[in-house]
Amino acid sequence: ETVGPVGSERYRVSLREVHASGARLLDLLTDLLDLARIEAGKIDRVVADIALNDVVTHCVTLLHPEAVRRRIVLRTSFSTDLPVLSADERFVRQATMNVIANAIALTEAGGQVIVSTSLADRGEIALRIRDTGVGMTAAEMEGALYPFRSGSRVEPSRGTGLGLPLTKALTEANHGRFRISSRKDEGTLVEMLFPVPGATKRA
């Protein structure tokens, strides 16, 4: 009872901080294990046909309150004629959550995060997350793809330093391509491009 009798609000605040710190540590350990397993080729994929729009909608719904809290407009634009995606749904969902959460964290109040799906020029299923955030230089983008290094001067409040490296690994584990482009003080575009099951690749 250092700060008063049991039941004091100050104890509740401290407990919330302890819980938040424990959750962040668990996130870090989980991300580390996933990244290590993927790099070692020892992670099991559960491949199934999934509707990408449904997965992305679920992620947007979960992260919308954080966007509202930070006064950021979170917009979506989904193609209505996407083919099914053959992939591990958990991997796709985790990669999507990572990128949207990062975009929200690195965008200032009044900015926008736009999440879209479409068919890309090469016939791939494309998931794109564009933000109007702080952006990165070419050197910062390269650094952001290494674990525990950040490309931005603004850090996500719950970031583990593994967001983009893990997202890239998760995308590639589903035979997809990961691309990122950014301009300092103008924003960032992250693209995850997945092959259509049974489609013939173009030269």
Side-chain angles (χ1 to χ4, degrees):
E1 300 183 342
T2 305
V3 295
V6 174
S8 168
E9 179 61 25
R10 294 181 65 180
Y11 291 121
R12 294 190 181 93
V13 171
S14 296
L15 286 172
R16 284 194 290 269
E17 291 174 350
V18 170
H19 182 271
S21 297
R24 186 176 185 278
L25 180 59
L26 180 60
D27 288 344
L28 174 59
L29 292 174
T30 300
D31 286 355
L32 274 172
L33 288 171
D34 283 346
L35 187 58
R37 290 190 187 112
I38 292 171
E39 291 181 342
K42 295 182 178 179
I43 194 163
D44 295 326
R45 291 195 310 142
V46 181
V47 178
D49 289 345
I50 62 175
L52 181 60
N53 286 348
D54 291 346
V55 174
V56 178
T57 296
H58 176 71
C59 296
V60 169
T61 300
L62 290 177
L63 292 169
H64 185 260
E66 176 65 10
V68 171
R69 187 183 71 80
R70 297 176 64 92
R71 293 188 288 124
I72 294 165
V73 177
L74 181 56
R75 297 169 49 197
T76 59
S77 176
F78 296 152
S79 172
T80 58
D81 58 354
L82 286 183
V84 295
L85 173 62
S86 182
D88 185 303
E89 182 174 344
R90 183 177 70 88
F91 286 12
V92 175
R93 182 169 59 252
Q94 185 175 358
T96 304
M97 290 287 289
N98 285 349
V99 178
I100 299 176
N102 195 61
I104 292 171
L106 300 179
T107 299
E108 297 177 350
Q112 295 187 57
V113 174
I114 303 169
V115 183
S116 65
T117 62
S118 66
L119 279 176
D121 292 340
R122 290 170 53 176
E124 297 159 298
I125 301 171
L127 169 59
R128 297 183 174 94
I129 296 95
R130 183 188 300 274
D131 67 63
T132 59
V134 296
M136 294 178 282
T137 64
E140 288 172 335
M141 277 193 291
E142 183 179 358
L145 292 174
Y146 286 91
F148 303 112
R149 291 173 63 183
S150 171
S152 171
R153 63 179 178 264
V154 179
E155 291 290 342
S157 59
R158 287 180 56 80
T160 63
L162 290 169
L164 288 181
L166 181 58
T167 298
K168 183 175 184 291
L170 290 168
T171 302
E172 293 173 350
N174 277 310
H175 307 295
R177 296 189 297 132
F178 179 89
R179 299 194 307 201
I180 180 170
S181 57
S182 186
R183 297 188 66 175
K184 196 72 171 179
D185 300 318
E186 293 185 18
T188 300
L189 169 64
V190 172
E191 299 175 283
M192 290 174 272
L193 306 164
F194 301 98
V196 175
T200 302
K201 291 185 178 179
R202 300 180 183 179

